[in-house]
Amino acid sequence: MSVKTPYSFFESVEKSFDKAAQFTKWEDGILQQIKACNSVYRMRFPIKRDNGSIEVMEAYRVQHSQHKSPCKGGIRFSEAVNQDEVMALAALMTFKCAIVNVPFGGAKGGIKINPRNYSTYELEKITRRYTSELVKKNFIGPGIDVPAPDYGTGEREMAWIVDTYQSLKPGEIDAAGCVTGKPITQGGVRGRKEATGLGVFFGIREVCNMTEVMNKLGLTTGVEGKKVVVQGLGNVGYHTAKFFREHGAMIICLAEYEGAIFNAAGLNEEQVFQHRKKTGSILNFPGASNLAVNTDALELDCDILIPAALENVINGDNAQRVKAKIIAEAANGPCTPEADEIFIQKGILCIPDMYLNAGGVTVSYFEWLKNLSHVRYGRLEKRFSENMNAHILGQIEELSGKMVSEKERLFIMHGAEEVDLVHSGLEETMVSATREIMDIWISNPSIPDMRTAAYVSAINKVAISYVELGIFP
Ligand code: NAD
């Protein structure tokens, strides 16, 4: 679904930026520098198709900001790729990284293809050629620019990228850090798959734990018992629904492109996922009722609505009918600026995408750190912690004369594995970012919404890097 707006994607990012910039103290020149896209690399290269014909590819890599090195951002394979889109997404990466204190500049890449129209061999050739074009222009490297998966790309493409890079840069000791989202066997990190959904959960949970915010919305504090609607049962939607259910919320509705299902007593995302796999549709799930149109899900009476599928799904046409108290943007750009205005009037809290779905880039940062340190998280301390925990527990049991249950014993003894540390780092990141944004919002009541407060947080951090570190010549 695409809604026509009078301005381009990049212009809409600029609009949000300008709206927030008036709540900062920075002089215009600095704001202009933060807003500008520093480098745009548009490339053309030929590929020989399986049928022998030659096709010329159109591809981009945009480095929006180098206020921190390296730059970071995904690569998408989509027919909709164009320079404006890649520039907008690169700018959003700059702000996203700043908000969650990931020390990277923003970047984004794209190849204008529908990957479904190409064989695996053709996709491999395209990805490898794209990588070598980036190497030629010094647009990739662990200290320069670090791509990641995005729409239409995944672990497989990242493995091709790292392999191409390593073959062109023999002996570069940190070469594995040239890209993130790699398979574990190629230097990836455990916990990446669920990272965005888990980050979405941590971010919303933190907001739900703020008594004043909940009182204003007429909601009780905490996640437990909240009625949640999730649009999109893909990677982000599935994991978000899973973590909410596991923490006592009720997933009353799940929507996919073929329809939506409702059960006031709560749905189990894994059972729905299996049902969809078996029958090819989310509809007719046992115990649930079907909704006539899938977008009806967006207008249900609920506490939290989580769009986790597409952009522009809540817009000037339907925002007035949204009944949720909280809209949590797990997807990128699900609400238009027109919808934002309506939420402000209706007193609906919109938790913005730019920070809420930053779990992916946060865990990518952990992957990059792992690659630079050349050691798996937890390898050094796991056994030490377990031995120490066993010793402490033994002492407590001896002194108290009481034994803990077997379940408690296992829990207390457990030394942190890689996935435990990644989840813990993600939780810390999302909780801190939520508090920083809320502090900005609360300390300046003229800031109209949380999105603007998030932009203010980003602008302040990028400006501080530019100014206080003396980057301006
Ligand atoms: P995905 O492809 O795994 O899942 C998207 C799901 O949405 C699919 O199951 C699809 O069938 C469904 N869908 C499509 N049209 C729909 C419609 N009209 N109504 C309801 N459902 C529909 O993608 P994903 O990785 O889960 O990404 C979802 C969103 O989150 C995107 O906006 C993406 O940019 C954003 N995001 C993803 C990540 C990540 O780590 N995967 C990180 C940040 C942001």
Side-chain angles (χ1 to χ4, degrees):
M1 187 192 311
S2 149
V3 170
K4 265 235 136 333
T5 52
Y7 32 81
S8 76
F9 189 6
F10 187 67
E11 284 166 346
S12 84
V13 174
E14 289 189 307
K15 264 169 86 86
S16 303
F17 181 97
D18 291 340
K19 187 171 157 191
Q22 57 180 309
F23 299 104
T24 70
K25 61 174 188 184
W26 307 104
E27 66 162 279
D28 190 52
I30 290 167
L31 293 169
Q32 291 307 324
Q33 170 54 39
I34 298 172
K35 202 161 71 163
C37 257
N38 286 358
S39 321
V40 179
Y41 177 20
R42 174 178 176 273
M43 64 194 98
R44 292 282 188 131
F45 55 83
I47 282 296
K48 193 167 208 175
R49 305 272 328 236
D50 290 345
N51 64 11
S53 66
I54 307 276
E55 192 175 313
V56 180
M57 297 288 135
E58 179 181 334
Y60 301 88
R61 185 73 188 170
V62 171
Q63 295 173 350
H64 172 262
S65 172
Q66 284 107 349
H67 73 287
K68 302 254 182 208
S69 288
C71 305
K72 184 103 194 72
I75 295 175
R76 60 171 59 179
F77 287 1
S78 152
E79 270 172 332
V81 161
N82 59 57
Q83 186 175 323
D84 181 86
E85 181 188 78
V86 185
M87 284 168 65
L89 293 166
L92 290 174
M93 283 304 297
T94 297
F95 307 136
K96 183 178 287 196
C97 289
I99 289 170
V100 290
N101 301 308
V102 165
F104 293 148
K108 202 81 183 186
I111 305 183
K112 194 178 170 62
I113 52 165
N114 178 351
R116 279 182 221 158
N117 297 341
Y118 295 82
S119 69
T120 304
Y121 181 53
E122 288 170 335
L123 287 172
E124 180 171 352
K125 282 202 287 188
I126 293 166
T127 309
R128 286 184 182 277
R129 177 65 189 257
Y130 176 75
T131 309
S132 63
E133 293 295 326
L134 294 178
V135 170
K136 270 196 243 168
K137 290 279 192 294
N138 215 15
F139 256 68
I140 184 171
I144 299 168
D145 187 348
V146 181
D150 194 64
Y151 192 89
T153 59
E155 279 188 358
R156 182 184 64 171
E157 286 73 17
M158 303 308 116
W160 290 331
I161 291 173
V162 72
D163 184 56
T164 309
Y165 183 86
Q166 279 170 331
S167 67
L168 293 171
K169 301 262 184 177
E172 196 178 289
I173 188 79
D174 292 330
C178 77
V179 67
T180 60
K182 303 179 291 290
I184 305 279
T185 52
Q186 305 297 314
V189 75
R190 289 160 187 85
R192 173 68 182 84
K193 197 170 169 206
E194 68 275 28
T196 304
L198 184 57
V200 168
F201 169 73
F202 284 143
I204 303 173
R205 186 193 64 183
E206 192 55 23
V207 172
C208 288
N209 284 342
M210 295 175 170
T211 311
E212 264 185 43
V213 179
M214 290 300 106
N215 285 347
K216 235 171 142 182
L217 295 168
L219 292 172
T220 54
T221 41
V223 156
E224 215 174 305
K226 291 270 182 304
K227 290 184 287 173
V228 178
V229 173
V230 180
Q231 183 196 40
L233 199 56
N235 178 297
V236 177
Y238 173 90
H239 286 106
T240 303
K242 174 176 185 280
F243 293 116
F244 267 96
R245 180 184 54 74
E246 287 175 353
H247 287 82
M250 274 186 305
I251 309 298
I252 59 164
C253 176
L254 286 169
E256 257 295 335
Y257 72 89
E258 70 274 12
I261 52 171
F262 174 84
N263 185 344
L267 295 157
N268 178 306
E269 75 298 326
E270 175 56 23
Q271 289 167 5
V272 175
F273 181 80
Q274 292 305 335
H275 167 80
R276 187 168 186 242
K277 209 164 140 189
K278 206 165 93 192
T279 65
S281 168
I282 200 173
L283 297 171
N284 305 321
F285 179 70
S289 50
N290 297 335
L291 298 191
V293 188
N294 67 354
T295 46
D296 286 353
L298 304 171
E299 297 170 24
L300 280 178
D301 196 358
C302 65
D303 299 318
I304 308 173
L305 168 62
I306 307 179
L310 303 169
E311 61 282 354
N312 296 336
V313 291
I314 307 174
N315 47 59
D317 295 338
N318 62 356
Q320 209 52 263
R321 297 193 296 274
V322 168
K323 295 183 200 72
K325 308 265 182 9
I326 299 174
I327 295 166
E329 295 186 318
N332 276 316
C335 303
T336 65
E338 292 74 20
D340 274 351
E341 293 304 322
I342 295 171
F343 299 152
I344 294 170
Q345 285 162 22
K346 291 181 69 174
I348 292 175
L349 173 67
C350 180
I351 309 180
D353 51 358
M354 208 170 44
Y355 112 90
L356 191 63
N357 65 28
V361 73
T362 302
V363 172
S364 279
Y365 168 48
F366 300 154
E367 180 177 334
W368 179 79
L369 289 174
K370 175 186 181 180
N371 297 149
L372 298 194
S373 64
H374 301 263
V375 63
R376 166 173 57 81
Y377 289 110
R379 179 171 170 182
L380 300 186
E381 64 270 38
K382 180 177 159 59
R383 295 285 161 170
F384 179 83
S385 307
E386 287 183 350
N387 292 338
M388 188 59 84
N389 294 346
H391 184 74
I392 295 169
L393 187 59
Q395 288 290 306
I396 292 172
E397 285 181 336
E398 200 182 308
L399 290 171
S400 66
K402 288 181 183 160
M403 305 283 275
V404 298
S405 69
E406 200 46 35
K407 194 175 158 213
E408 279 303 318
R409 178 179 307 280
L410 288 175
F411 183 74
I412 295 168
M413 300 255 297
H414 178 77
E417 317 245 7
E418 182 164 86
V419 70
D420 300 317
L421 294 167
V422 164
H423 285 180
S424 159
L426 178 59
E427 181 172 7
E428 167 60 18
T429 302
M430 293 307 297
V431 167
S432 314
T434 310
R435 291 185 187 165
E436 282 175 14
I437 295 169
M438 280 301 190
D439 283 349
I440 288 174
W441 197 13
I442 291 164
S443 67
N444 189 343
S446 3
I447 293 179
D449 53 15
M450 198 175 169
R451 190 185 314 283
T452 310
Y455 264 96
V456 170
S457 169
I459 293 170
N460 284 341
K461 289 180 190 176
V462 181
I464 287 168
S465 311
Y466 273 128
V467 177
E468 292 185 356
L469 297 178
I471 286 178
F472 282 113

Short mmCIF file of all heavy atoms in Angstrom, two decimals, residues 96 192 196 231-237 255-257 276 294 308-310 330-332 357, ligand 1:
data_model
loop_
_atom_site.label_atom_id
_atom_site.label_comp_id
_atom_site.label_asym_id
_atom_site.label_seq_id
_atom_site.Cartn_x
_atom_site.Cartn_y
_atom_site.Cartn_z
N LYS A 96 18.96 7.17 13.93
CA LYS A 96 18.69 5.95 14.71
C LYS A 96 19.91 5.55 15.55
O LYS A 96 19.80 5.29 16.75
CB LYS A 96 18.32 4.82 13.73
CG LYS A 96 17.94 3.52 14.40
CD LYS A 96 17.53 2.45 13.39
CE LYS A 96 16.19 2.70 12.78
NZ LYS A 96 15.62 1.54 12.10
N ARG A 192 20.76 -12.22 16.75
CA ARG A 192 20.47 -11.20 15.74
C ARG A 192 19.05 -11.35 15.18
O ARG A 192 18.37 -10.36 14.94
CB ARG A 192 21.50 -11.29 14.60
CG ARG A 192 21.23 -10.39 13.39
CD ARG A 192 21.38 -8.92 13.73
NE ARG A 192 21.09 -8.03 12.62
CZ ARG A 192 19.88 -7.63 12.27
NH1 ARG A 192 18.82 -8.04 12.94
NH2 ARG A 192 19.71 -6.80 11.26
N THR A 196 15.29 -7.29 16.55
CA THR A 196 14.42 -6.13 16.35
C THR A 196 13.13 -6.29 17.15
O THR A 196 12.69 -5.37 17.85
CB THR A 196 14.14 -5.91 14.85
OG1 THR A 196 15.39 -5.79 14.19
CG2 THR A 196 13.33 -4.66 14.60
N GLN A 231 0.27 -6.11 13.28
CA GLN A 231 0.11 -6.24 11.82
C GLN A 231 1.42 -6.75 11.24
O GLN A 231 2.46 -6.10 11.39
CB GLN A 231 -0.22 -4.87 11.20
CG GLN A 231 -0.47 -4.98 9.70
CD GLN A 231 -0.41 -3.63 8.99
OE1 GLN A 231 0.43 -2.80 9.30
NE2 GLN A 231 -1.30 -3.44 8.05
N GLY A 232 1.37 -7.90 10.57
CA GLY A 232 2.58 -8.48 9.96
C GLY A 232 3.14 -9.58 10.85
O GLY A 232 3.48 -9.32 12.00
N LEU A 233 3.17 -10.79 10.33
CA LEU A 233 3.72 -11.92 11.11
C LEU A 233 5.04 -12.36 10.47
O LEU A 233 5.30 -13.54 10.30
CB LEU A 233 2.69 -13.06 11.15
CG LEU A 233 2.87 -14.09 12.26
CD1 LEU A 233 2.90 -13.48 13.64
CD2 LEU A 233 1.79 -15.17 12.19
N GLY A 234 5.86 -11.38 10.08
CA GLY A 234 7.20 -11.67 9.56
C GLY A 234 8.19 -11.69 10.71
O GLY A 234 7.81 -11.90 11.87
N ASN A 235 9.44 -11.46 10.40
CA ASN A 235 10.48 -11.54 11.43
C ASN A 235 10.16 -10.62 12.63
O ASN A 235 10.14 -11.06 13.77
CB ASN A 235 11.83 -11.16 10.80
CG ASN A 235 12.94 -11.18 11.82
OD1 ASN A 235 12.94 -10.40 12.77
ND2 ASN A 235 13.90 -12.06 11.65
N VAL A 236 9.89 -9.36 12.36
CA VAL A 236 9.70 -8.40 13.45
C VAL A 236 8.38 -8.64 14.18
O VAL A 236 8.33 -8.72 15.41
CB VAL A 236 9.76 -6.95 12.90
CG1 VAL A 236 9.50 -5.94 14.02
CG2 VAL A 236 11.10 -6.67 12.25
N GLY A 237 7.28 -8.80 13.42
CA GLY A 237 5.96 -8.99 14.03
C GLY A 237 5.90 -10.27 14.85
O GLY A 237 5.38 -10.28 15.97
N ALA A 255 -2.63 -9.61 11.94
CA ALA A 255 -3.04 -9.31 10.56
C ALA A 255 -1.91 -9.65 9.61
O ALA A 255 -0.73 -9.39 9.90
CB ALA A 255 -3.39 -7.83 10.43
N GLU A 256 -2.28 -10.27 8.49
CA GLU A 256 -1.33 -10.52 7.40
C GLU A 256 -1.94 -9.96 6.13
O GLU A 256 -3.05 -9.43 6.16
CB GLU A 256 -1.04 -12.02 7.27
CG GLU A 256 0.30 -12.44 7.86
CD GLU A 256 1.50 -11.84 7.13
OE1 GLU A 256 1.37 -11.52 5.93
OE2 GLU A 256 2.57 -11.67 7.73
N TYR A 257 -1.23 -10.05 4.99
CA TYR A 257 -1.79 -9.38 3.81
C TYR A 257 -3.06 -10.04 3.31
O TYR A 257 -3.93 -9.41 2.74
CB TYR A 257 -0.74 -9.20 2.71
CG TYR A 257 -0.35 -10.45 1.99
CD1 TYR A 257 -1.04 -10.88 0.86
CD2 TYR A 257 0.72 -11.22 2.44
CE1 TYR A 257 -0.69 -12.04 0.22
CE2 TYR A 257 1.08 -12.38 1.80
CZ TYR A 257 0.37 -12.79 0.69
OH TYR A 257 0.71 -13.95 0.07
N ARG A 276 -0.62 -21.01 9.31
CA ARG A 276 -0.45 -20.30 8.03
C ARG A 276 0.46 -21.10 7.10
O ARG A 276 0.24 -21.16 5.89
CB ARG A 276 0.14 -18.91 8.30
CG ARG A 276 0.19 -18.03 7.08
CD ARG A 276 0.51 -16.59 7.43
NE ARG A 276 0.40 -15.76 6.25
CZ ARG A 276 1.41 -15.08 5.71
NH1 ARG A 276 2.61 -15.14 6.26
NH2 ARG A 276 1.22 -14.35 4.63
N ASN A 294 -8.25 -6.92 6.06
CA ASN A 294 -7.10 -7.00 6.97
C ASN A 294 -6.81 -5.67 7.67
O ASN A 294 -6.35 -5.66 8.82
CB ASN A 294 -5.87 -7.59 6.27
CG ASN A 294 -5.32 -6.69 5.19
OD1 ASN A 294 -5.90 -5.65 4.87
ND2 ASN A 294 -4.20 -7.09 4.62
N ALA A 308 3.83 -3.84 11.99
CA ALA A 308 5.16 -4.45 11.80
C ALA A 308 5.28 -5.01 10.40
O ALA A 308 5.86 -6.08 10.19
CB ALA A 308 5.39 -5.54 12.85
N ALA A 309 4.67 -4.29 9.43
CA ALA A 309 4.72 -4.81 8.06
C ALA A 309 5.26 -3.78 7.07
O ALA A 309 6.38 -3.91 6.57
CB ALA A 309 3.33 -5.28 7.64
N LEU A 310 4.45 -2.75 6.81
CA LEU A 310 4.75 -1.84 5.69
C LEU A 310 4.72 -0.38 6.12
O LEU A 310 4.23 -0.06 7.20
CB LEU A 310 3.66 -1.99 4.62
CG LEU A 310 3.39 -3.35 4.03
CD1 LEU A 310 2.11 -3.29 3.22
CD2 LEU A 310 4.56 -3.75 3.15
N ALA A 330 6.84 -0.65 14.89
CA ALA A 330 7.88 -1.67 14.71
C ALA A 330 8.40 -1.63 13.26
O ALA A 330 9.58 -1.81 13.01
CB ALA A 330 7.32 -3.05 15.03
N ALA A 331 7.50 -1.39 12.31
CA ALA A 331 7.91 -1.24 10.90
C ALA A 331 8.56 0.12 10.70
O ALA A 331 8.49 0.98 11.58
CB ALA A 331 6.69 -1.37 9.99
N ASN A 332 9.18 0.31 9.55
CA ASN A 332 9.72 1.63 9.21
C ASN A 332 8.64 2.45 8.53
O ASN A 332 8.04 2.01 7.55
CB ASN A 332 10.91 1.48 8.27
CG ASN A 332 12.20 1.21 9.02
OD1 ASN A 332 12.48 1.84 10.05
ND2 ASN A 332 12.97 0.25 8.55
N ASN A 357 12.59 0.43 16.51
CA ASN A 357 13.06 -0.78 15.80
C ASN A 357 14.59 -0.79 15.63
O ASN A 357 15.11 -1.41 14.71
CB ASN A 357 12.32 -0.98 14.47
CG ASN A 357 12.60 0.12 13.46
OD1 ASN A 357 13.65 0.73 13.46
ND2 ASN A 357 11.64 0.36 12.56
P1 NAD B 1 9.21 -9.56 6.80
O1 NAD B 1 9.20 -9.59 5.32
O2 NAD B 1 9.84 -10.69 7.55
O3 NAD B 1 7.71 -9.45 7.36
C1 NAD B 1 6.75 -8.57 6.87
C2 NAD B 1 5.41 -9.27 7.00
O4 NAD B 1 4.36 -8.36 6.69
C3 NAD B 1 5.27 -10.45 6.02
O5 NAD B 1 4.87 -11.61 6.73
C4 NAD B 1 4.21 -9.97 5.04
O6 NAD B 1 3.41 -11.02 4.51
C5 NAD B 1 3.38 -9.05 5.92
N1 NAD B 1 2.55 -8.12 5.16
C6 NAD B 1 2.76 -7.65 3.91
N2 NAD B 1 1.73 -6.85 3.54
C7 NAD B 1 0.87 -6.83 4.57
C8 NAD B 1 -0.38 -6.19 4.78
N3 NAD B 1 -0.93 -5.40 3.86
N4 NAD B 1 -1.00 -6.38 5.97
C9 NAD B 1 -0.46 -7.17 6.91
N5 NAD B 1 0.72 -7.80 6.76
C10 NAD B 1 1.39 -7.63 5.61
O7 NAD B 1 9.87 -8.18 7.19
P2 NAD B 1 10.45 -7.74 8.61
O8 NAD B 1 11.91 -7.95 8.62
O9 NAD B 1 9.61 -8.32 9.70
O10 NAD B 1 10.21 -6.16 8.52
C11 NAD B 1 8.96 -5.57 8.78
C12 NAD B 1 9.13 -4.07 8.95
O11 NAD B 1 10.07 -3.81 9.99
C13 NAD B 1 9.67 -3.34 7.72
O12 NAD B 1 9.11 -2.05 7.70
C14 NAD B 1 11.16 -3.24 7.99
O13 NAD B 1 11.76 -2.17 7.29
C15 NAD B 1 11.13 -3.00 9.48
N6 NAD B 1 12.39 -3.33 10.16
C16 NAD B 1 12.90 -4.58 10.13
C17 NAD B 1 14.09 -4.86 10.81
C18 NAD B 1 14.65 -6.25 10.88
O14 NAD B 1 15.63 -6.47 11.61
N7 NAD B 1 14.08 -7.24 10.19
C19 NAD B 1 14.77 -3.84 11.49
C20 NAD B 1 14.23 -2.55 11.50
C21 NAD B 1 13.03 -2.32 10.83
#
